[in-house]
Amino acid sequence: MPFTNLTAEAITEFYITGFKETQNPKAVGCIILIIYLLILLGSSANIYIIARDKRLHTPMYFFICSLSVVDIINSSSVSPTMILVLLADITAISYRSCITQMTLYNLAFAMEKFTLSLMAYDRLVAISNPLRYHSILTKTRIVLLTVASWVLGFAIIAGLTGIADRLPYCRTTLSFAFCDYGAVVLATCVNPDEYFVISTVLAFFTLFGSFALIFTSYLMIIFTVLKIASTKDRKKMYSTCSNHLIVVASVFVPPFVSIIVTRTGLVLTLTERNVLTIFSSLGPCLVNPFVYCFRTKEIRSQLFRIF
C-alpha cells in the first residue's frame, strides 16, 4: 500500500487509483484495448494511403494525415496506462513517465483543435477561392502553418509542464484514470486553485479560440454557398464539409459537455467522471480516422483496392 504523505524529494512514482470503483475492470480494459487498436489501425491506414498515393498529396489530405498523427499521440499517451491498470492491475507509474504522459496528452488536446482550425481554413479557401486554391495554399505555406501550430502547442504545454514539474508533491495517489494536469496538481503540497486558473486560461484560449476560428470559417463558407445558384454545386460543397463537421462535433462536444457539467455544479461519481474523461480522450480519436476512411471517396477507394 503506497504512502500518501511524503516529502517532495521522496516521491519517485505515483499510483493511479481512478478505477478502484470500476465494476468488471477486465471488461472495461478489453474495451479500451480494442478501441486503442482500432484507433491505431484507422489512423495508420489514413497515413499510409495518403503517403503512397501522390494524387492525395494536397492540402486537405495533408491536414487529414496530420490529424491522424495527433490521434495516435493522443490515444498512445493515455491508453497503455489505463490498459495496464485495468487488465494487469499495475497502478504504479514513475514520476517522469507521469509528467511525460501529462505533456503528450495536453499537447494532443491542443494540436487536435489547431489542426481542425487549419482544416476549416482549407475548406474556406477551397470553396471561396477554388481557382486560386493551390496558389494560396502552397506547400510552403502549408508546412509553415503546420509548424507554427506545433510551435504554439509546444509553447502552451511547456508552460504547464514547467509549472507541474517545479511544484512540491505530498501525495502519491492520483484519483484519475491517467496522469493529466489536474490530477498531478492535486497531488502537490500547495493550494491548487491558482494553478488551475492558469490551466483554465490556456484551455479557454485553445478550446474557444479554435472554435471561434472554425465557426467564423463556416459562416464565411455559408455566405459563399448562398451565392451559388446551382443546387448541384451546393450539395457538392455540403458533402465536402460534412466530414470535417462530424469530426469537429466529436472533438468539441465532449469538452463543452464537461464545462456545462462543471458550471452547473453537478457532482459526478468517480466512475462517471472516468467515463466522461475516457470518452473525451478516445472518442474523437476513434471517430476521426474512420470518418475519413469511409466517407472520403478517394481514401475509401484506395482502401478497398488494397484489400
Side-chain angles (χ1 to χ4, degrees):
M1 184 73 179
F3 295 99
T4 55
N5 290 291
L6 300 171
T7 62
E9 293 76 16
I11 292 179
T12 58
E13 61 184 11
F14 292 109
Y15 295 87
I16 307 294
T17 61
F19 291 106
K20 64 181 180 180
E21 297 179 4
T22 303
Q23 297 180 353
N24 301 318
K26 303 295 184 185
V28 176
C30 287
I31 292 172
I32 293 176
L33 175 60
I34 292 170
I35 291 173
Y36 179 48
L37 293 176
L38 288 174
I39 291 169
L40 293 180
L41 176 64
S43 298
S44 300
N46 274 346
I47 295 171
Y48 172 73
I49 291 170
I50 292 170
R52 75 188 292 269
D53 191 344
K54 292 184 179 181
R55 293 172 299 177
L56 300 182
H57 293 181
T58 62
M60 182 181 78
Y61 290 103
F62 178 83
F63 291 134
I64 291 175
C65 196
S66 181
L67 184 63
S68 295
V69 172
V70 173
D71 287 335
I72 291 174
I73 295 173
N74 192 0
S75 59
S76 297
S77 67
V78 298
S79 296
T81 296
M82 294 190 289
I83 292 168
L84 285 174
V85 172
L86 291 164
L87 294 183
D89 198 27
I90 299 175
T91 61
I93 181 171
S94 70
Y95 173 80
R96 282 298 161 198
S97 295
C98 187
I99 293 296
T100 301
Q101 182 180 98
M102 178 197 74
T103 302
L104 291 175
Y105 173 71
N106 289 330
L107 177 64
F109 173 87
M111 288 311 306
E112 198 165 38
K113 280 67 179 177
F114 294 161
T115 303
L116 288 176
S117 299
L118 293 176
M119 295 173 77
Y121 175 66
D122 168 76
R123 292 300 83 206
L124 174 62
V125 175
I127 292 174
S128 301
N129 296 281
L131 299 178
R132 298 181 56 217
Y133 176 66
H134 290 287
S135 63
I136 295 175
L137 287 177
T138 62
K139 290 183 179 180
T140 302
R141 287 175 180 169
I142 292 171
V143 171
L144 287 175
L145 286 171
T146 303
V147 170
S149 66
W150 279 94
V151 169
L152 179 60
F154 272 111
I156 292 173
I157 304 310
L160 287 179
T161 301
I163 291 171
D165 197 31
R166 289 195 300 267
L167 293 175
Y169 290 88
C170 292
R171 287 169 288 278
T172 59
T173 55
L174 305 179
S175 299
F176 289 79
F178 49 83
C179 296
D180 67 1
Y181 180 80
V184 171
V185 170
L186 286 175
T188 64
C189 311
V190 300
N191 183 354
D193 292 344
E194 62 180 290
Y195 298 99
F196 282 145
V197 170
I198 297 172
S199 64
T200 300
V201 170
L202 293 177
F204 182 88
F205 166 76
T206 302
L207 187 64
F208 288 95
S210 300
F211 184 78
L213 290 174
I214 294 170
F215 184 75
T216 302
S217 296
Y218 273 99
L219 278 181
M220 297 175 70
I221 288 173
I222 290 171
F223 290 142
T224 302
V225 170
L226 291 176
K227 296 177 183 178
I228 300 174
S230 171
T231 304
K232 182 180 179 180
D233 289 339
R234 287 185 181 182
K235 288 183 178 179
K236 184 179 179 180
M237 290 182 180
Y238 290 140
S239 176
T240 301
C241 296
S242 62
N243 292 343
H244 183 248
L245 287 172
I246 292 171
V247 172
V248 167
S250 72
V251 169
F252 283 92
V253 168
F256 284 161
V257 170
S258 180
I259 291 171
I260 292 171
V261 168
T262 303
R263 292 302 177 186
T264 54
L266 182 63
V267 179
L268 300 178
T269 65
L270 182 60
T271 301
E272 291 170 342
R273 188 176 65 194
N274 283 340
V275 169
L276 182 59
T277 301
I278 294 170
F279 180 74
S280 300
S281 305
L282 300 183
C285 299
L286 181 63
V287 171
N288 297 349
F290 288 98
V291 164
Y292 287 112
C293 268
F294 296 113
R295 288 180 57 88
T296 304
K297 181 180 178 181
E298 291 79 6
I299 296 179
R300 185 175 66 245
S301 62
Q302 288 287 339
L303 186 65
F304 289 158
R305 187 175 294 113
I306 290 172
F307 287 101

